[in-house]
Every structure is written in structure tokens, then in C-alpha cells.
């Protein structure tokens, strides 16, 4: 059983020593086979190979050479013969490619192929393998042309031809369009390029894949920040000169993800700016990707890193509340109170206001902000809405309570906490009418309001049951689908009031019940919140709900009822009713 991982409890991380495999393979330990071909033309599908030359090197030392003329099975064009010196008479008695290719593949087995303009040479080798029905070994390939373009400036050399680079780097052999000589020259060019790559932090085979990328040198030199990071799911924190947190991210493989920030794969300007500032990266290994996502969210909320854009200020979320008054009204608020109906939270006050407009479009709720007694001693002045029949004007009730407004308030309460169907149908009819009248901008505005209301109601109805549940324990098989871990174990999650309190993965084949008991015992204590607001960042609870909805999840323990209304806002989340009404209206017209 893996040691329990409890969120919310400060623990001292143990030191992590990366293995050589995790750090990558140093270039000095890689065996390269530098290959060059002479051919009858440039088309690999139609042409043939006339000569193969190759040099095997490791750590700067030559381990062996391979050279053979090849009968291409077709005439050598005159201009090729003049260029290479290889004539039809020379290849007439040479072995066929069917005899030479297996020998070369054996010579190059378990090595990294290198060529100058590798797509040409490798393309011919692959074509010959396909022609002879050989399986291509899937070599890693290094092309010296893009490396030279990245490292050799126009001031140093007018072009990046092999002959030009050989002169620049004082190669021991001058290329002459014969395979072995060109391969030997390419070896010297390769080693000279490696000498230029080392100061840029490119010292491992894995670095070569992105060595030719247009990455600023000051960014590439920081690749070493990823060297000691673990190959495990978790969170990583980029820290600045004052140890301040610049950026928080998460990944299923911390080291590989952090390495990508120093390559051309990272195209966000603000993140490139962040990498220039960063001094170190702190990893937080996690038992599961779910724990990593939750920790990322909490760390972003705690540190508010300037280069993160999401989830930094949960206190700015807005709710829509039906006020607790004699004649309730809708109000956009920053928090929830017990006993009141709420929907949300919304990511912005503007979106919350759109949901309020949607309810006002469908229900005759008052829109004034004054507190109105049940029976007024001094009647107020009816507003324009009352004149249009959109409000029963409870401010004018001087003899008895306005019972008609109570019915409107009850309908609003049901729409917020239960079935929003009447609101959806009313606004769907309005959208259909506006579309029929070709008032598309107004129809779009009503649609945005309806979507804001439905999404806010749906979110509150999802959050509320989990926020009210004191403890929920669930598990799913590990190693199946996107579930982490090895097959045969169980990913166990303890949730309290919508907050992740503990999680871990049991060992394959082990009884998971002792892990469940340990996690429940050591889980974080969580104070009950005021539903529908959970005891965590709403996005954290959203993550937990998504995990609970994933395939294979099984409930292990439940302290309270966990259910959503049968006729809930989720049934209208796709606005299918509104779409159907528009289609019917347009078909009739």
C-alpha cells in the first residue's frame, strides 16, 4: 500500500534523486552512425542507390566504417556520373541492394542515424526497405542541416552545404560526393556542432530533438532546471530571484512538461518572459492526477502567481440570491447565506447580471431595491413595470399582503433551486418569436441571458448536494483508461463538503479496505460550509464532480444524501428546448 497522501496538511517533502534514465542519455554515451548515400536521382520511389558509406562513432572515437558500391538496377545518369565519379562500369559488378541493405542495417543496429540533409538519405533507405519488404527499424535520426542553420550564422558561412561547413570547421576529410568521404566529413561537422550546443545546455540525446528550434539562448540555457524533477504526476512551481512563485502548473509527468517550456513548443510570450525570470522549479509529486489538479488550484489561490490567469481570485465569484424579504427580489452578491435560494457561482458579475435579466424576462419579480414591508402604511409610487403589468406593485399594498406577488416569488424559488423549466420555456418562446421577426441581435441577447441562468442554476444544483455531504468515499480501478497507477489497484478519494480531504492508490492486488480506513482516519478536517457554496474553491468541487462522474467509480461510504433534483437545470444545459422552439417557429414561417 502506498503511503497515504493527505491534502491540507503541511508535510516535509523527501529529497528526490533522479536516475540517469530520467536525466536522459549524455551525447558522449550515444553511438551514432553517420551515413551518406549516392543515388541515381532525387526520387526515392523511382531511383536507386549506387553507394552507401557510414561511420560509427561514440564519444568522439571512430568505432567502425561501412562502405559498399551498390548495383542500382538501372543506368547511372551521365550528370550523376560526372558529379560522383560513379559510372555504370563501376556498379555493374557491385552487389544488389538486397545484399547490401541487410549488412548496413546490422551495422547501424541500436544506434542513432546522422546525415546531412537526413530526409534524403533516410528517405531512400526507407524506400529500399519497403521495396524489399523489410521492416524499418525506427532509428532515431539527427539531421545536421537544421542544427547548422541554428548554430552557424551567415557571417561565418554563406550557406550550410556540407562542403562549406567542412571548410569552416576544418574537417580532416574534404567531401567529394563519394559516400564514405562525405560521411567522414559529416562526422567532423557533427562534433563541431556539438561543441557549440554544449554551452546552450544541450548535452543529452533528448535535447537534440528541439536543438534546432528558434528558442532564445537565455531560455534554452535554463533547461537544466528540469534535470532533477521527477517523472511523476504532480505540480510544479516556477520561482523567481526572490523565491516568489511566478507560475504554477500541473502534469502527469512533471519533468517532461517542464522541459517543454524551454523549447519552441512553448509559444506564449508571457510564459517565455516568465522562464527568463525563473531561477528554479519546485516539484510537488502527487499520488494521482486528481490530487495534482487540486493542489495546483490551491497553490494558485494561495500565491496568486502573476503569470497564471485562472482561478487566482475565487472571492471575486458572484452569486445570484433571492433575498429574504417580505417581497423577495433578485440580488447579485459575493457570498451565500443560510436559508436563501442561490444560483452560481458565476465567474463575473456581468454574467450573474445576465442571469438576473433572464429571470426578470420570464417572471414578474420586482426590480426596485428598497425594502418593502408586508403592508405599507404609506403607499409608494408604482413604477413603469407596474404600468406595463410586469409587477403587481407590492409597494402599493396598504390593506392586505400582496398574495399575487407571493406566487411569483415561489415560482422564482422553484426556478433557482429545482425545475427551471417554466423560465426556459418562456424565454425559448421569446427567442423563437424574435428569430421569426428576424430580430437576430435581440434573440442572441436573450439566448446569452438564458444560457447564463441555466449554467448558474445547474452549477449550484451540482455543488449543493456535495457541499452538504460530510463525508463521501469513492474508488475506481487504477490503470484502466485514464486512471493512474498499475492495473489491479484502486484509486481512493475522500471528499468532505465538496473538498478533497485525502487520496491515494492501493497496490495492485492488495485489499483496498485498509487504505480506505487509513485515509478516512487521517483525512483533513473540514468545517461545514453554507450550501450551495462548498468548503473549497468551486473549481475544486467541479473537478471532484467530474471525477465522480468518470467510468468505473464506485461509492464506498456516504454519510449523507447525495442527489440532484429530478427536474433540474442539467436537463436544459444544452438549451435543446430553445433550439427546438426556434426550428418549429422558422419551419412554420
Amino acid at each position: 500500500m502506498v503511503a497515504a497522501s493527505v491534502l491540507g496538511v503541511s508535510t516535509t517533502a523527501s529529497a528526490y534523486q533522479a536516475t540517469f534514465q530520467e536525466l536522459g542519455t549524455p551525447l558522449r554515451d550515444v553511438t551514432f552512425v553517420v551515413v551518406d548515400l549516392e543515388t541515381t536521382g532525387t526520387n526515392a520511389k523511382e531511383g536507386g542507390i549506387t553507394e552507401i558509406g557510414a561511420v560509427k562513432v561514440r564519444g568522439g572515437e571512430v568505432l567502425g566504417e561501412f562502405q559498399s558500391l551498390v548495383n542500382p538496377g538501372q543506368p547511372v545518369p551521365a550528370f550523376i556520373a560526372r558529379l560522383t565519379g560513379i559510372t555504370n562500369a563501376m556498379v555493374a559488378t557491385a552487389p544488389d541492394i538486397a545484399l547490401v541493405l541487410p549488412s548496413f542495417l546490422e551495422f547501424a543496429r541500436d544506434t542513432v542515424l546522422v546525415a546531412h540533409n537526413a530526409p534524403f538519405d533516410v528517405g531512400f533507405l526507407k524506400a529500399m526497405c519497403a521495396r524489399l519488404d523489410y521492416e524499418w527499424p525506427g532509428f532515431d535520426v539527427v539531421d545536421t542541416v537544421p542544427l547548422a542553420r541554428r548554430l552557424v550564422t551567415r557571417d561565418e558561412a554563406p550557406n550550410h552545404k556540407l562542403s562549406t561547413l567542412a571548410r569552416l570547421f576544418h574537417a580532416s576529410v574534404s567531401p567529394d560526393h563519394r559516400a564514405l568521404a562525405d560521411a567522414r566529413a559529416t562526422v567532423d561537422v557533427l562534433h563541431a556542432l556539438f561543441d557549440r550546443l554544449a554551452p546552450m545546455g544541450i548535452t543529452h540525446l533528448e535535447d537534440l530533438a528541439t536543438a534546432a528550434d528558434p528558442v532564445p539562448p537565455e531560455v534554452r540555457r535554463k533547461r537544466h532546471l528540469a534535470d532533477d524533477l521527477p517523472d511523476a504526476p504532480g505540480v510544479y512551481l516556477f520561482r523567481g530571484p526572490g523565491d516568489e512563485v511566478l507560475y504554477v502548473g500541473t502534469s502527469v509527468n512533471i519533468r517532461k512538461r517542464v522541459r517543454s517550456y524551454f523549447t519552441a513548443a512553448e509559444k506564449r510570450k508571457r510564459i517565455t518572459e516568465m522562464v527568463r525570470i525563473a531561477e528554479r522549479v519546485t516539484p510537488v509529486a502527487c499520488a494521482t492526477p486528481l490530487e495534482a489538479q487540486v493542489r495546483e488550484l490551491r497553490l494558485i489561490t494561495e500565491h496568486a502567481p502573476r503569470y497564471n490567469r485562472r482561478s487566482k481570485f475565487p472571492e471575486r465569484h458572484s452569486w445570484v440570491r433571492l433575498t429574504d424579504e417580505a417581497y423577495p427580489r433578485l440580488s447579485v452578491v459575493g457570498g451565500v447565506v443560510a436559508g436563501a435560494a442561490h444560483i452560481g457561482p458565476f465567474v463575473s458579475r456581468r454574467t450573474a447580471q445576465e442571469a438576473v435579466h433572464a429571470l426578470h424576462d420570464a417572471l414578474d419579480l420586482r426590480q426596485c431595491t428598497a425594502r418593502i414591508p408586508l403592508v405599507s402604511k404609506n403607499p409608494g409610487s408604482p413604477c413603469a413595470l407596474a404600468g406595463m403589468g410586469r409587477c403587481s406593485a407590492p409597494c402599493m399594498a396598504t390593506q392586505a399582503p400582496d398574495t399575487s406577488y407571493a406566487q411569483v416569488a415561489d415560482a422564482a424559488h422553484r426556478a433557482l433551486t429545482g425545475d427551471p423549466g417554466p423560465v426556459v420555456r418562456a424565454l425559448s418562446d421569446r427567442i423563437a418569436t424574435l428569430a421569426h421577426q428576424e430580430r437576430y441581435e435581440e434573440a442572441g441577447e436573450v439566448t446569452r441571458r438564458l444560457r447564463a441562468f441555466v449554467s448558474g442554476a445547474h452549477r449550484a444544483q451540482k455543488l449543493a448536494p456535495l457541499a452538504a455531504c460530510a463525508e463521501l468515499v469513492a474508488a475506481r480501478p487504477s490503470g484502466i483508461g485514464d486512471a493512474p497507477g498499475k492495473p489491479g489497484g484502486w484509486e481512493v478519494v475522500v471528499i468532505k463538503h465538496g473538498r478533497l480531504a485525502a487520496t491515494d492508490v492501493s497496490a495492485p492486488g492488495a485489499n483496498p479496505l485498509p487504505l480506505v480506513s487509513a485515509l478516512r482516519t487521517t483525512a483533513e478536517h473540514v468545517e461545514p460550509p453554507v450550501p450551495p457554496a462548498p468548503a473549497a474553491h468551486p473549481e475544486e468541487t467541479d473537478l471532484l464532480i467530474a471525477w465522480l462522474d468518470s467510468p468505473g467509480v464506485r461509492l464506498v461510504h456516504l454519510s449523507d444524501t447525495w442527489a440532484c433534483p429530478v427536474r433540474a437545470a442539467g436537463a436544459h444545459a444544452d438549451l435543446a428546448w430553445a433550439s427546438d422552439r426556434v426550428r418549429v417557429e422558422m419551419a412554420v414561417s
Side-chain angles (χ1 to χ4, degrees):
M1 181 175 67
V2 182
S5 174
V6 183
L7 283 85
V9 179
S10 177
T11 59
T12 301
S14 60
Y16 178 84
Q17 179 64 46
T19 66
F20 288 112
Q21 289 75 17
E22 290 171 340
L23 292 174
T25 307
L27 292 176
R28 64 177 179 273
D29 296 335
V30 179
T31 303
F32 297 98
V33 166
V34 182
V35 62
D36 186 81
L37 305 180
E38 302 303 331
T39 64
T40 60
T42 58
N43 190 324
K45 292 183 178 180
E46 298 177 359
I49 297 175
T50 60
E51 187 177 29
I52 299 178
V55 181
K56 182 182 295 186
V57 294
R58 183 175 65 237
E61 295 184 4
V62 175
L63 304 181
E65 293 183 341
F66 180 96
Q67 189 275 333
S68 177
L69 288 170
V70 181
N71 187 333
Q74 56 185 270
V76 178
F79 76 94
I80 294 292
R82 287 193 299 270
L83 178 67
T84 64
I86 300 175
T87 64
N88 286 313
M90 292 173 62
V91 298
T93 58
D96 189 78
I97 187 65
L99 299 176
V100 178
L101 185 61
S103 299
F104 170 76
L105 294 178
E106 179 61 26
F107 177 78
R109 185 163 56 92
D110 297 331
T111 67
V112 175
L113 288 186
V114 180
H116 197 71
N117 189 22
F120 175 84
D121 300 276
V122 174
F124 263 91
L125 291 172
K126 285 184 175 180
M128 294 302 112
C129 283
R131 190 178 301 177
L132 299 172
D133 200 24
Y134 292 162
E135 182 179 354
W136 177 249
F139 295 105
D140 287 334
V141 178
V142 175
D143 189 352
T144 52
V145 172
L147 288 178
R149 288 172 179 163
R150 180 75 178 87
L151 299 169
V152 179
T153 66
R154 290 292 182 182
D155 293 335
E156 296 178 284
N159 56 58
H160 300 101
K161 295 179 180 179
L162 179 59
S163 58
T164 303
L165 296 173
R167 285 194 301 270
L168 174 66
F169 294 128
H170 306 290
S172 58
V173 177
S174 298
D176 58 2
H177 295 291
R178 290 299 299 267
L180 185 57
D182 287 6
R184 288 170 176 170
T186 304
V187 169
D188 291 339
V189 170
L190 177 69
H191 289 158
L193 294 176
F194 282 175
D195 289 340
R196 294 194 174 194
L197 288 171
M200 301 170 61
I202 299 174
T203 57
H204 292 71
L205 176 63
E206 291 74 13
D207 300 332
L208 288 180
T210 59
D213 292 344
V215 180
E218 64 272 21
V219 172
R220 189 182 292 279
R221 278 194 295 267
K222 293 192 174 183
R223 292 173 67 95
H224 68 277
L225 296 180
D227 286 349
D228 296 329
L229 302 180
D231 281 310
V235 181
Y236 52 90
L237 297 84
F238 280 88
R239 295 182 179 272
D243 209 38
E244 70 277 20
V245 177
L246 302 174
Y247 183 80
V248 178
T250 183
S251 176
V252 295
N253 188 307
I254 296 176
R255 188 176 70 90
K256 288 185 178 180
R257 180 67 184 98
V258 172
R259 286 174 67 91
S260 71
Y261 285 89
F262 311 106
T263 69
E266 181 51 69
K267 302 184 183 301
R268 295 169 293 177
K269 291 183 178 179
R270 63 187 180 86
I271 298 300
T272 301
E273 176 185 308
M274 181 274 297
V275 172
R276 285 190 172 100
I277 301 172
E279 295 290 335
R280 66 189 185 94
V281 180
T282 303
V284 182
C286 299
T288 66
L290 175 64
E291 181 185 354
Q293 291 176 315
V294 170
R295 283 193 180 276
E296 176 195 30
L297 197 58
R298 294 182 186 178
L299 287 168
I300 290 175
T301 304
E302 177 185 352
H303 296 286
R306 52 177 160 160
Y307 289 98
N308 281 96
R309 288 183 173 174
R310 61 180 287 264
S311 316
K312 287 195 286 188
F313 305 106
E315 67 277 4
R316 296 182 183 176
H317 288 183
S318 297
W319 299 79
V320 173
R321 177 194 302 165
L322 190 64
T323 60
D324 184 16
E325 301 179 63
Y327 299 104
R329 58 185 176 84
L330 295 173
S331 177
V332 177
V333 295
V336 300
V337 296
H342 299 77
I343 61 172
F346 299 89
V347 294
S348 69
R349 189 175 183 86
R350 181 183 60 82
T351 308
Q353 197 61 54
E354 287 184 345
V356 170
H357 290 324
L359 287 160
H360 284 159
D361 287 344
L363 301 171
D364 295 336
L365 286 166
R366 70 184 183 97
Q367 300 183 30
C368 55
T369 58
R371 289 191 72 89
I372 302 174
L374 196 61
V375 178
S376 300
K377 295 181 180 179
N378 299 314
S381 300
C383 61
L385 289 175
M388 293 185 295
R390 296 287 310 280
C391 180
S392 62
C395 57
M396 300 293 293
T398 57
Q399 302 299 322
D402 186 347
T403 56
S404 61
Y405 190 87
Q407 297 175 357
V408 175
D410 288 342
H413 190 279
R414 289 193 299 272
L416 293 173
T417 60
D419 182 12
V423 174
V424 174
R425 287 189 286 272
L427 293 186
S428 297
D429 289 341
R430 177 163 172 74
I431 293 168
T433 300
L434 292 171
H436 174 64
Q437 296 172 353
E438 298 185 359
R439 296 159 63 185
Y440 299 118
E441 289 187 5
E442 294 178 65
E445 176 64 27
V446 177
T447 302
R448 282 194 299 274
R449 294 176 176 182
L450 177 58
R451 181 175 289 109
F453 161 67
V454 170
S455 62
H458 180 41
R459 195 176 192 191
Q461 291 173 0
K462 288 194 304 178
L463 295 177
L466 207 57
C469 184
E471 184 182 68
L472 183 152
V473 183
R476 71 172 179 177
S478 61
I480 299 176
D482 62 347
K486 297 180 180 179
W490 288 87
E491 179 184 0
V492 182
V493 169
V494 179
I495 302 171
K496 294 185 177 182
H497 297 297
R499 180 181 177 88
L500 182 60
T503 182
D504 210 336
V505 180
S506 67
N511 182 0
L513 293 182
L515 175 61
V516 171
S517 177
L519 290 179
R520 291 186 62 189
T521 302
T522 59
E524 175 188 359
H525 173 72
V526 179
E527 291 291 336
V530 177
H537 193 302
E539 289 188 26
E540 176 178 331
T541 309
D542 288 338
L543 290 172
L544 299 177
I545 292 173
W547 185 90
L548 290 169
D549 286 340
S550 62
V553 171
R554 306 180 187 181
L555 288 179
V556 179
H557 171 75
L558 190 64
S559 62
D560 303 272
T561 301
W562 179 43
C564 291
V566 175
R567 293 185 177 88
H572 304 279
D574 58 355
L575 300 187
W577 181 279
S579 299
D580 290 342
R581 287 291 297 119
V582 171
R583 280 195 291 268
V584 170
E585 189 70 28
M586 298 305 289
V588 171
S589 66

